[in-house]
C-alpha cells in the first residue's frame, strides 16, 4: 500500500521535473552550438581617394558615391539639376551623386583582383585583369581634376576586388 502511494506520488513529481528540466537542457545545448555565418560581401560604387602601403599592408581610402545609369540617371539628374528646362536627361546617360562626406578606410587583400576598362586614351580594353602594380601605375596616371568611379567588393572589412567603371 505504501509502495503504491509512493509510486503515485513519484510519477507526477518525476514528470514535472522532467518537463521543467528538459527544455533548459535543450536550450543549453542550443546555446553552445555555434552558428557559422557566411562572410558578408559588400559591393559599393566609390571614388578612390588614397591607395598606399602602410605598415606592411596596402590600404585604400574610399569615398562612396551613388551611380545611376539610363532612365534612373535621368530621374536623379532632374532631381539634382538646377538647370534650364532644355536639359531633360542626364548627360552621357549616367549620373553620379556624392553627398556623403565620409571616407572609408579598408585594407586591401593580398589576393585582391584589379579590373580596368581602359588603360589609355586610344583603346578600350574591357574587363582587363591587371596586377596591383599595373593598377597603381594606372591610378598615378589619372588626371587629378577628374575622378574615375570604381566598384569595390569588401568581404569582412577587406577589399577583395576593385573594378573601374567605364565612363563614355
Amino acid at each position: 500500500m505504501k509502495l503504491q502511494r509512493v509510486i503515485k506520488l513519484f510519477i507526477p513529481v518525476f514528470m514535472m521535473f522532467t518537463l521543467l528540466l528538459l527544455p533548459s537542457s535543450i536550450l543549453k545545448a542550443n546555446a553552445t552550438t555555434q552558428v557559422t555565418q557566411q562572410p558578408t560581401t559588400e559591393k559599393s560604387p566609390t571614388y578612390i581617394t588614397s591607395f598606399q602601403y602602410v605598415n606592411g599592408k596596402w590600404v585604400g581610402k574610399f569615398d562612396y558615391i551613388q551611380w545611376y545609369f539610363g532612365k534612373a540617371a535621368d530621374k536623379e539628374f532632374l532631381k539634382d539639376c538646377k538647370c534650364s528646362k532644355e536639359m531633360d536627361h542626364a548627360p552621357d546617360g549616367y549620373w553620379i551623386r556624392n553627398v556623403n562626406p565620409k571616407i572609408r578606410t579598408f585594407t586591401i587583400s593580398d589576393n585582391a583582383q584589379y579590373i580596368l576598362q581602359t588603360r589609355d586614351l586610344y583603346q578600350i580594353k574591357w574587363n582587363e585583369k591587371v596586377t596591383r602594380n599595373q593598377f597603381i601605375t594606372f591610378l598615378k596616371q589619372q588626371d587629378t581634376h577628374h575622378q574615375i568611379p570604381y566598384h569595390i567588393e569588401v568581404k569582412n572589412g577587406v577589399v577583395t576586388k576593385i573594378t573601374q567603371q567605364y565612363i563614355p
Side-chain angles (χ1 to χ4, degrees), residues 29-36:
N30 284 341
T32 59
T33 303
Q34 293 181 348
V35 177
T36 305

Side-chain angles (χ1 to χ4, degrees), residues 49-69:
T49 61
S50 173
F51 199 92
Q52 299 177 344
Y53 195 69
V54 179
N55 296 325
K57 294 185 180 197
W58 285 99
V59 176
K61 293 189 179 200
F62 301 93
D63 184 4
Y64 282 16
I65 59 173
Q66 294 170 302
W67 169 265
Y68 301 98
F69 186 76

Side-chain angles (χ1 to χ4, degrees), residues 75-86:
K75 180 181 173 187
E76 298 304 320
F77 169 76
L78 292 172
K79 281 184 191 176
D80 295 345
C81 180
K82 307 283 189 260
C83 51
S84 66
K85 295 292 179 188
E86 293 88 43

Side-chain angles (χ1 to χ4, degrees), residues 64-120:
Y64 282 16
I65 59 173
Q66 294 170 302
W67 169 265
Y68 301 98
F69 186 76
K71 294 208 180 288
D74 295 341
K75 180 181 173 187
E76 298 304 320
F77 169 76
L78 292 172
K79 281 184 191 176
D80 295 345
C81 180
K82 307 283 189 260
C83 51
S84 66
K85 295 292 179 188
E86 293 88 43
M87 292 290 294
D88 62 350
H89 63 279
D92 298 319
Y94 68 92
W95 186 245
I96 298 171
R97 184 179 294 135
N98 186 8
V99 293
N100 186 342
K102 181 178 178 180
I103 303 296
R104 292 156 179 86
T105 303
F106 296 112
T107 300
I108 312 297
S109 169
D110 289 337
N111 300 318
Q113 293 179 35
Y114 303 91
I115 300 171
L116 299 178
Q117 306 307 327
T118 184
R119 290 199 24 196
D120 59 45

Side-chain angles (χ1 to χ4, degrees), residues 130-141:
V130 298
T131 66
R132 181 186 344 259
N133 288 339
Q134 290 170 318
F135 182 74
I136 292 167
T137 299
F138 177 79
L139 286 177
K140 288 178 181 177
Q141 292 172 348

Side-chain angles (χ1 to χ4, degrees), residues 10-22:
F10 177 76
I11 290 177
V13 170
F14 176 76
M15 296 279 288
M16 285 179 49
F17 278 112
T18 303
L19 291 174
L20 291 173
L21 294 177
L22 185 61

